């Protein structure tokens, strides 16, 4: 696998290192779209409401692949298709996203309107562990059933 993406770490601090890995404004959104929406192709990621620039999306996908969060699979049926699939490390980011959603709903509720807030107020908050497990299992089922 040829990949010229290199991740620079600023310090030995675990928080700083975590931010170097997925603390930019795009990486967690790609992982979010994979886990919540089962997106797997470049064009599917491009359709996100945040309108990530193509070059940035390409760079972030390479970074996630280099770090072992996702794997890249060329289409067997359609050779032009490339699918990005979460690996275990990528799935392990889901609890972080849940905590961010809970925090944001607690402190920025007025901004969110009804975006995800019903799920956050019920399942994420009251049944967090089961919710996380169900979502990860749902992704694993999607990944197994995907015809590439």
């Amino acid at each position: 696998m040829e990949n010229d993406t290199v991740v620079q770490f600023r310090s030995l601090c675990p928080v700083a290192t975590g931010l170097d890995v997925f603390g930019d404004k795009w990486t967690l959104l790609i992982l979010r779209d994979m886990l919540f929406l089962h997106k797997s192709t470049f064009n599917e990621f491009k359709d996100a409401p945040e309108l990530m620039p193509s070059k940035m999306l390409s760079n972030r996908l390479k970074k996630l692949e280099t770090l072992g969060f996702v794997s890249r699979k060329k289409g067997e049926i359609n050779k032009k298709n490339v699918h990005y699939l979460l690996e275990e490390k990528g799935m392990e980011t889901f609890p972080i996203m849940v905590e961010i959603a809970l925090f944001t709903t607690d402190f920025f509720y007025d901004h969110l309107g009804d975006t995800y807030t019903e799920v956050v107020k019920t399942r994420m908050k009251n049944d967090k562990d089961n919710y996380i497990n169900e979502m990860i299992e749902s992704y694993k089922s999607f990944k197994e059933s995907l015809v590439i």
Side-chain angles (χ1 to χ4, degrees), residues 112-126:
L112 298 173
D114 60 1
T115 309
Y116 292 115
T117 53
E118 196 56 45
V119 170
V120 175
K121 286 188 295 188
T122 57
R123 293 292 318 281
M124 281 187 200
K125 195 167 203 156
N126 301 323

Side-chain angles (χ1 to χ4, degrees), residues 1-5 61-68 70-72:
M1 172 180 77
E2 289 249 344
N3 207 328
D4 46 0
T5 301
L61 288 168
K62 285 178 187 170
K63 176 181 174 182
L64 287 167
E65 183 182 5
T66 298
L67 292 171
V70 303
S71 58
R72 186 177 187 273

Side-chain angles (χ1 to χ4, degrees), residues 102-141:
L102 289 169
F103 176 88
T104 305
T105 301
D106 282 347
F107 293 101
F108 299 96
Y109 183 80
D110 291 343
H111 167 73
L112 298 173
D114 60 1
T115 309
Y116 292 115
T117 53
E118 196 56 45
V119 170
V120 175
K121 286 188 295 188
T122 57
R123 293 292 318 281
M124 281 187 200
K125 195 167 203 156
N126 301 323
D127 194 22
K128 185 177 10 180
D129 291 340
N130 284 328
Y131 175 74
I132 290 169
N133 290 335
E134 287 173 21
M135 291 295 287
I136 290 173
E137 287 307 313
S138 173
Y139 182 80
K140 287 178 180 177
S141 294

Side-chain angles (χ1 to χ4, degrees), residues 18-34:
L19 289 172
D20 291 338
V21 172
F22 49 75
D24 62 78
K25 73 187 227 183
W26 301 112
T27 302
L28 279 177
L29 296 179
I30 295 168
L31 296 170
R32 171 204 67 187
D33 286 353
M34 295 177 88

Side-chain angles (χ1 to χ4, degrees), residues 26-35 37-54 57-58 60-61 64 70-71 82-86 139 142:
W26 301 112
T27 302
L28 279 177
L29 296 179
I30 295 168
L31 296 170
R32 171 204 67 187
D33 286 353
M34 295 177 88
L35 277 161
L37 305 173
H38 297 171
K39 292 184 178 183
S40 69
T41 65
F42 190 90
N43 286 335
E44 289 172 335
F45 297 124
K46 283 291 298 165
D47 289 340
E50 293 84 10
L51 303 173
M52 186 184 317
S54 293
L57 175 57
S58 179
R60 291 305 180 267
L61 288 168
L64 287 167
V70 303
S71 58
V82 174
H83 292 268
Y84 296 90
L85 303 170
L86 287 171
Y139 182 80
F142 158 76

